[in-house]
């Protein structure tokens, strides 16, 4: 937890996991409706758009997390600064 990008990536992962768990409800409903074929195609239009938007948002979140892993932006947390000061030998 010395760098801000680590904290940002952790938060992205936790939030994405929670949102994807919530997203499973409409997916389950859509799968159930498709399996029963009880609903007409027009009734599922709004849910289809929601699923596409959710998938696009999930892709954006995954790409952001991957970019943070690759580029590792600068910026050290207070904890990281304190650890750096502790590791530097002090002149006497």
């Amino acid at each position: 937890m010395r760098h801000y990008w680590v904290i940002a990536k952790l938060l992205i992962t936790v939030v994405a996991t929670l949102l994807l768990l919530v997203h499973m409800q409409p997916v389950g409903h859509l799968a159930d409706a498709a399996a029963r074929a009880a609903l007409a195609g027009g009734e599922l239009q709004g849910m289809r758009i929601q699923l596409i938007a959710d998938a696009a948002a999930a892709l954006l979140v995954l790409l952001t997390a991957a970019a943070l892993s690759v580029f590792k932006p600068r910026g050290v947390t207070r904890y990281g600064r304190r650890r750096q000061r502790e590791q530097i030998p002090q002149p006497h």
Side-chain angles (χ1 to χ4, degrees):
M1 299 281 188
R2 293 181 187 184
H3 300 275
Y4 286 114
W5 71 267
V6 174
I7 295 171
K9 190 172 171 193
L10 177 64
L11 289 175
I12 287 171
T13 303
V14 169
V15 170
T17 301
L18 293 174
L19 289 175
L20 289 173
L21 287 173
V22 170
H23 174 71
M24 291 304 295
Q25 291 175 340
V27 170
H29 178 70
L30 186 61
D32 188 43
R36 286 185 280 123
L39 298 174
E43 295 178 34
L44 298 176
Q45 186 64 29
M47 194 170 294
R48 288 179 182 153
I49 292 170
Q50 178 186 354
L51 290 176
I52 291 170
D54 290 346
L59 179 62
L60 180 65
V61 166
L62 290 173
L63 290 174
T64 302
L68 284 172
S69 295
V70 172
F71 296 110
K72 297 176 180 68
R74 295 177 190 228
V76 181
T77 61
R78 285 187 224 171
Y79 172 76
R81 281 191 294 266
R82 186 173 66 238
R83 295 284 297 184
Q84 284 177 344
R85 277 187 255 129
E86 290 172 359
Q87 291 178 351
I88 299 172
Q90 300 297 326
H92 296 285

